[in-house]
Amino acid sequence: MKQGLSLRVSQHLALTPQLQQSIRLLQLSTLEMAQEVEQMLDENPFLERSEDMAEREAFGLEQTDAPVSGGEQIAEAATAPDMAEAPGPMLSSTESSSSSSDSGEGDAIEGKLDGATPVEESWEGDGTVEMAPDDSEWGGDAPARNNNSSGDDDTASAADLARAHISLQDHLHDQARCLRLSDEDRAALYFLIESLSDEGYIEDSLAELARAWQALSGPMETDDPNEGLEEREALEQRLAMALQLLQHLEPAGVGARNLAECLRLQILEMRNTPEARAALAICGQAMELVAKRDVKRLCNLCGLEDETVRAALGLIARLEPKPGRRFVDVERNVVVPDVLVTRAGRGFKVLLNPEVMPRLRVHDVYASAMRQNRGGRDNGGEAGHAAMQQRLQEARWFIKNIQQRFDTILRVSSAIVERQRNFFMHGELAMRPLVLREIADELGLHESTISRVTTAKYMATPFGTYELKYFFGSSLGTETGGNASSTAVRALLKQFIAAEEAAKPLSDNQLSDLLREQGIECARRTVAKYREALRIAPANLRKTL
């Protein structure tokens, strides 16, 4: 085997740490993005919020509506087809005046992307696309917009209102404090309240709860198993008495161990009417018969008339199967839109929501100290200065990547509004087919970038708030040779079902025939799939009682 030397030229794509951070920030949701900003503010001393500028604007000292202008682009993104343009680092005036001389390798820009993101662009129709935040909000010295920082206690955001809620346990404890109980009974009731699920059910048996309570009381002083068994039985009896007290508290049905018991507890709180008595008898049967509304079998099992059973089923349908539902923390259900779409003449205006955009900049004092000590450092402080220079560069890249994230979201949202203009004018029935590749080809991005942008990002429209992925849908063929959006077909199905006769609901075959009359070719199985996606029951369950 002969040894030798040879040269080989090859190309490979390397994801730099800055590019990896840009990709990761792009796919974060609004909440995750806020958490990432808070973490970076805690870790990096060169980052700070521009709250002082927001306060000055709140008092009317300074105000500007200058749009964000694109600066230099990220060099690494030129080799990755799935990244959007990235404006240069936005620094304060004192920082930017001399940043080119001291940043060195940290601020080196090797190239530019193809085309800069326009600040304000017009598209067909008279709508305009503009960016609301000021350039200073990304790191400059101009005043930033006030984000409810005026200290007014009379105003509260949606998140603050959602956060101020009373849990089911707190509501029950308030009622339990009004009862005259012994310490042992109060402790048993407290234990049951804390054992409730979010839906208001007792999911474990009383024997299991007694065993858990006994374990919490500490190890037994004796090894006699009979004595431990007697103590457990006593605890179980005490829990059974406390359960009766719990099931008489509000809301009705709390403390039930299954759905049938929950419904019975609520019926017992009603007036003693024939319908209520029939409903109690029906709840003693299998719940599958109630779910299927099998009136004939229920009549035979309960010995009731057909009309009475139907009235009882109507009463049961009005009950609450999850008594703790209204006490669940709703903060996690609050959706804050990333993009706002409003009418502007005959067109639409697409803006980024300023409430979700962080106001960050490089700390002027620390950056100035780095420049002043650049020439006077000794050999011993070389490593420390290099580490601080690295942290400064990380702050600049973080600001740049955040702006790149919102720029990409704005570009994709503007393209979606342009493609789905009929939806914003007439509603979901006018939705047209749209796939990720169309937006990717239009903007010169990769499909993976469009997928990241449209995931967990929301747009506030005149018809409501929707996830960006909602505007993408497959196409169905029509008799005229065109295509219809699956979203529009689902909306049409909802209209058909809403207008159907309650006594004669439309089957999937009939719905397919109605769509065919509208010129849309949709098989019965496709109709069933869309109906299930809309959480609409089949025809036999939609039939009126």
Side-chain angles (χ1 to χ4, degrees), residues 177-193:
R177 279 191 286 269
C178 300
L179 302 178
R180 300 183 62 181
L181 302 174
S182 63
D183 294 340
E184 293 80 5
D185 292 338
R186 190 175 300 276
L189 181 57
Y190 178 87
F191 186 79
L192 286 180
I193 291 176

mmCIF file of all heavy atoms in Angstrom, residues 177-193:
data_model
loop_
_atom_site.group_PDB
_atom_site.id
_atom_site.type_symbol
_atom_site.label_atom_id
_atom_site.label_comp_id
_atom_site.label_asym_id
_atom_site.label_seq_id
_atom_site.Cartn_x
_atom_site.Cartn_y
_atom_site.Cartn_z
ATOM 1 N N ARG A 177 -65.123 27.237 54.957
ATOM 2 C CA ARG A 177 -64.857 28.019 56.164
ATOM 3 C C ARG A 177 -66.134 28.477 56.855
ATOM 4 O O ARG A 177 -66.113 28.838 58.037
ATOM 5 C CB ARG A 177 -63.990 29.233 55.813
ATOM 6 C CG ARG A 177 -62.509 28.907 55.694
ATOM 7 C CD ARG A 177 -61.683 30.165 55.615
ATOM 8 N NE ARG A 177 -61.791 30.810 54.315
ATOM 9 C CZ ARG A 177 -60.982 30.564 53.288
ATOM 10 N NH1 ARG A 177 -60.000 29.690 53.436
ATOM 11 N NH2 ARG A 177 -61.148 31.188 52.144
ATOM 12 N N CYS A 178 -67.235 28.455 56.122
ATOM 13 C CA CYS A 178 -68.515 28.845 56.728
ATOM 14 C C CYS A 178 -69.206 27.686 57.445
ATOM 15 O O CYS A 178 -70.260 27.885 58.066
ATOM 16 C CB CYS A 178 -69.452 29.408 55.649
ATOM 17 S SG CYS A 178 -68.804 30.868 54.798
ATOM 18 N N LEU A 179 -68.670 26.479 57.362
ATOM 19 C CA LEU A 179 -69.257 25.306 57.998
ATOM 20 C C LEU A 179 -68.671 25.124 59.391
ATOM 21 O O LEU A 179 -67.477 25.336 59.612
ATOM 22 C CB LEU A 179 -69.001 24.057 57.146
ATOM 23 C CG LEU A 179 -69.529 24.088 55.708
ATOM 24 C CD1 LEU A 179 -69.147 22.809 54.978
ATOM 25 C CD2 LEU A 179 -71.044 24.266 55.690
ATOM 26 N N ARG A 180 -69.507 24.718 60.321
ATOM 27 C CA ARG A 180 -69.055 24.436 61.685
ATOM 28 C C ARG A 180 -68.679 22.965 61.770
ATOM 29 O O ARG A 180 -69.531 22.083 61.874
ATOM 30 C CB ARG A 180 -70.158 24.773 62.687
ATOM 31 C CG ARG A 180 -70.584 26.232 62.655
ATOM 32 C CD ARG A 180 -71.626 26.535 63.701
ATOM 33 N NE ARG A 180 -71.122 26.301 65.050
ATOM 34 C CZ ARG A 180 -71.846 26.478 66.165
ATOM 35 N NH1 ARG A 180 -73.105 26.890 66.066
ATOM 36 N NH2 ARG A 180 -71.316 26.244 67.346
ATOM 37 N N LEU A 181 -67.374 22.690 61.668
ATOM 38 C CA LEU A 181 -66.857 21.329 61.645
ATOM 39 C C LEU A 181 -65.781 21.163 62.695
ATOM 40 O O LEU A 181 -65.139 22.137 63.120
ATOM 41 C CB LEU A 181 -66.276 20.997 60.260
ATOM 42 C CG LEU A 181 -67.214 21.129 59.047
ATOM 43 C CD1 LEU A 181 -66.431 20.911 57.764
ATOM 44 C CD2 LEU A 181 -68.368 20.157 59.142
ATOM 45 N N SER A 182 -65.585 19.926 63.091
ATOM 46 C CA SER A 182 -64.469 19.611 63.982
ATOM 47 C C SER A 182 -63.159 19.668 63.196
ATOM 48 O O SER A 182 -63.153 19.708 61.957
ATOM 49 C CB SER A 182 -64.660 18.227 64.598
ATOM 50 O OG SER A 182 -64.656 17.236 63.573
ATOM 51 N N ASP A 183 -62.064 19.659 63.894
ATOM 52 C CA ASP A 183 -60.765 19.725 63.231
ATOM 53 C C ASP A 183 -60.550 18.524 62.327
ATOM 54 O O ASP A 183 -59.985 18.648 61.226
ATOM 55 C CB ASP A 183 -59.650 19.811 64.278
ATOM 56 C CG ASP A 183 -59.710 21.121 65.063
ATOM 57 O OD1 ASP A 183 -60.335 22.079 64.553
ATOM 58 O OD2 ASP A 183 -59.133 21.177 66.169
ATOM 59 N N GLU A 184 -60.991 17.351 62.763
ATOM 60 C CA GLU A 184 -60.797 16.149 61.948
ATOM 61 C C GLU A 184 -61.648 16.200 60.682
ATOM 62 O O GLU A 184 -61.172 15.884 59.581
ATOM 63 C CB GLU A 184 -61.147 14.892 62.770
ATOM 64 C CG GLU A 184 -60.208 14.610 63.924
ATOM 65 C CD GLU A 184 -60.521 15.475 65.141
ATOM 66 O OE1 GLU A 184 -61.535 16.225 65.088
ATOM 67 O OE2 GLU A 184 -59.749 15.441 66.119
ATOM 68 N N ASP A 185 -62.921 16.595 60.833
ATOM 69 C CA ASP A 185 -63.778 16.676 59.647
ATOM 70 C C ASP A 185 -63.318 17.777 58.690
ATOM 71 O O ASP A 185 -63.372 17.613 57.467
ATOM 72 C CB ASP A 185 -65.222 16.941 60.068
ATOM 73 C CG ASP A 185 -65.822 15.757 60.808
ATOM 74 O OD1 ASP A 185 -65.300 14.635 60.636
ATOM 75 O OD2 ASP A 185 -66.786 15.954 61.571
ATOM 76 N N ARG A 186 -62.843 18.891 59.242
ATOM 77 C CA ARG A 186 -62.349 19.966 58.385
ATOM 78 C C ARG A 186 -61.108 19.513 57.623
ATOM 79 O O ARG A 186 -60.925 19.850 56.441
ATOM 80 C CB ARG A 186 -62.046 21.202 59.212
ATOM 81 C CG ARG A 186 -61.746 22.455 58.372
ATOM 82 C CD ARG A 186 -61.574 23.667 59.266
ATOM 83 N NE ARG A 186 -62.784 23.917 60.051
ATOM 84 C CZ ARG A 186 -63.829 24.592 59.589
ATOM 85 N NH1 ARG A 186 -63.823 25.076 58.349
ATOM 86 N NH2 ARG A 186 -64.889 24.794 60.354
ATOM 87 N N ALA A 187 -60.231 18.756 58.303
ATOM 88 C CA ALA A 187 -59.033 18.251 57.630
ATOM 89 C C ALA A 187 -59.403 17.271 56.518
ATOM 90 O O ALA A 187 -58.798 17.272 55.442
ATOM 91 C CB ALA A 187 -58.104 17.589 58.648
ATOM 92 N N ALA A 188 -60.408 16.419 56.753
ATOM 93 C CA ALA A 188 -60.840 15.474 55.722
ATOM 94 C C ALA A 188 -61.431 16.209 54.530
ATOM 95 O O ALA A 188 -61.169 15.862 53.364
ATOM 96 C CB ALA A 188 -61.854 14.493 56.310
ATOM 97 N N LEU A 189 -62.257 17.231 54.792
ATOM 98 C CA LEU A 189 -62.838 18.001 53.697
ATOM 99 C C LEU A 189 -61.751 18.744 52.921
ATOM 100 O O LEU A 189 -61.787 18.800 51.677
ATOM 101 C CB LEU A 189 -63.864 18.982 54.257
ATOM 102 C CG LEU A 189 -64.603 19.858 53.241
ATOM 103 C CD1 LEU A 189 -65.322 19.005 52.206
ATOM 104 C CD2 LEU A 189 -65.580 20.797 53.938
ATOM 105 N N TYR A 190 -60.779 19.292 53.639
ATOM 106 C CA TYR A 190 -59.666 19.983 52.979
ATOM 107 C C TYR A 190 -58.886 19.008 52.095
ATOM 108 O O TYR A 190 -58.496 19.339 50.970
ATOM 109 C CB TYR A 190 -58.752 20.592 54.032
ATOM 110 C CG TYR A 190 -57.543 21.299 53.469
ATOM 111 C CD1 TYR A 190 -57.599 22.642 53.093
ATOM 112 C CD2 TYR A 190 -56.327 20.626 53.292
ATOM 113 C CE1 TYR A 190 -56.501 23.287 52.568
ATOM 114 C CE2 TYR A 190 -55.226 21.266 52.765
ATOM 115 C CZ TYR A 190 -55.312 22.587 52.412
ATOM 116 O OH TYR A 190 -54.218 23.218 51.883
ATOM 117 N N PHE A 191 -58.684 17.783 52.582
ATOM 118 C CA PHE A 191 -57.943 16.782 51.811
ATOM 119 C C PHE A 191 -58.687 16.421 50.523
ATOM 120 O O PHE A 191 -58.081 16.266 49.462
ATOM 121 C CB PHE A 191 -57.720 15.543 52.676
ATOM 122 C CG PHE A 191 -56.845 14.498 52.041
ATOM 123 C CD1 PHE A 191 -55.468 14.640 52.023
ATOM 124 C CD2 PHE A 191 -57.404 13.380 51.441
ATOM 125 C CE1 PHE A 191 -54.663 13.682 51.427
ATOM 126 C CE2 PHE A 191 -56.614 12.424 50.846
ATOM 127 C CZ PHE A 191 -55.223 12.573 50.846
ATOM 128 N N LEU A 192 -60.013 16.297 50.604
ATOM 129 C CA LEU A 192 -60.786 15.970 49.404
ATOM 130 C C LEU A 192 -60.768 17.126 48.404
ATOM 131 O O LEU A 192 -60.677 16.904 47.189
ATOM 132 C CB LEU A 192 -62.224 15.638 49.794
ATOM 133 C CG LEU A 192 -62.466 14.284 50.471
ATOM 134 C CD1 LEU A 192 -63.929 14.112 50.793
ATOM 135 C CD2 LEU A 192 -61.981 13.138 49.597
ATOM 136 N N ILE A 193 -60.869 18.345 48.916
ATOM 137 C CA ILE A 193 -60.854 19.501 48.005
ATOM 138 C C ILE A 193 -59.542 19.567 47.245
ATOM 139 O O ILE A 193 -59.518 19.833 46.028
ATOM 140 C CB ILE A 193 -61.108 20.795 48.807
ATOM 141 C CG1 ILE A 193 -62.545 20.830 49.314
ATOM 142 C CG2 ILE A 193 -60.831 22.031 47.938
ATOM 143 C CD1 ILE A 193 -62.853 22.021 50.207
#
